[in-house]
Amino acid sequence: MNGIIKKDLFRYAGETSMLKGFRKEGFRDTFLFRKASKYKKKSILGIFYRVLIKKYNYKYGYQIPVNTEIGEGLYLGHFGPVVINSKAKIGKNCNIAHNTTIGQSNRGRLKGYPTLGNKVWVGTGSVIVGKVFIGNNVLIAPNSYVNMDVPDNSIVMGNPSNIISKENATEDYINYTS
């Protein structure tokens, strides 16, 4: 677990000091998320970290359930509303901006939850819903509505979504990966 937390910390401008990392709301919440998910729900440390994560989620507007599957290197750039369904899956080294929803669709052909690959940058105000797969190295532009599968090395923008193939889609957007 400590290796994952170190990789999360490094995503914040190459930071290696936990004290400096805790100045950043996104890292603070990610740290508590990792700790709460490590311990059993009814253990003393599990209860302690779940109480703290609930407090910080409320304070910063994050709704990321403890049982959500999220890879190492999560970067929450700004505090503000971020809603992620507990059954969504998020890969390694992903950036998620504020006012973002990664949620489920309750009916139709897309009934289910999103899966995001590695190195996905989700812009401000974006919504990703349904049983869709977002490939690796994908940039989702701000205010995009995504309800379709997105191939690797793509940029997605708009509502309805337009997909543009681009080899280095997240270059200079996703930094400090190890």
Side-chain angles (χ1 to χ4, degrees):
M1 180 56 71
N2 287 336
I4 293 173
I5 291 172
K6 285 180 183 177
K7 290 183 180 186
D8 291 336
L9 175 63
F10 189 72
R11 291 295 318 284
Y12 291 84
E15 197 57 65
T16 56
S17 166
M18 290 289 266
L19 291 175
K20 288 182 181 177
F22 277 114
R23 292 186 202 161
K24 299 176 179 15
E25 298 85 3
F27 175 72
R28 196 176 314 143
D29 194 77
T30 302
F31 174 83
L32 292 172
F33 168 82
R34 300 289 187 200
K35 288 295 192 178
S37 63
K38 177 181 179 181
Y39 296 103
K40 293 183 180 180
K41 190 175 186 178
K42 299 198 182 212
S43 69
I44 292 172
L45 286 173
I47 292 168
F48 173 74
Y49 283 117
R50 279 175 170 74
V51 167
L52 282 178
I53 191 76
K54 191 167 190 145
K55 175 186 173 202
Y56 278 98
N57 281 344
Y58 183 76
K59 181 177 181 178
Y60 297 123
Y62 301 132
Q63 289 183 26
I64 306 172
V66 171
N67 58 335
T68 307
E69 191 178 317
I70 300 176
E72 62 194 35
L74 176 65
Y75 180 86
L76 301 170
H78 305 281
F79 68 91
V82 171
V83 178
I84 300 175
N85 188 284
S86 64
K87 294 183 181 172
K89 294 179 183 170
I90 299 173
K92 298 177 183 178
N93 298 315
C94 291
N95 288 32
I96 300 175
H98 55 291
N99 294 329
T100 300
T101 299
I102 300 173
Q104 75 182 50
S105 179
N106 293 325
R107 60 184 176 174
R109 66 178 179 79
L110 294 175
K111 182 177 180 179
Y113 317 94
T115 299
L116 280 65
N118 300 325
K119 290 185 76 176
V120 175
W121 187 89
V122 182
T124 302
S126 296
V127 175
I128 305 167
V129 292
K131 187 175 182 177
V132 297
F133 179 76
I134 309 299
N136 298 318
N137 191 34
V138 171
L139 186 142
I140 299 173
N143 297 317
S144 295
Y145 179 78
V146 182
N147 65 347
M148 64 177 69
D149 290 342
V150 179
D152 292 351
N153 305 313
S154 299
I155 296 175
V156 182
M157 61 180 69
N159 181 8
S161 298
N162 294 319
I163 300 173
I164 301 166
S165 180
K166 178 148 169 96
E167 194 60 38
N168 296 321
T170 60
E171 185 176 17
D172 295 331
Y173 283 89
I174 295 183
N175 300 313
Y176 301 104
T177 60
S178 53

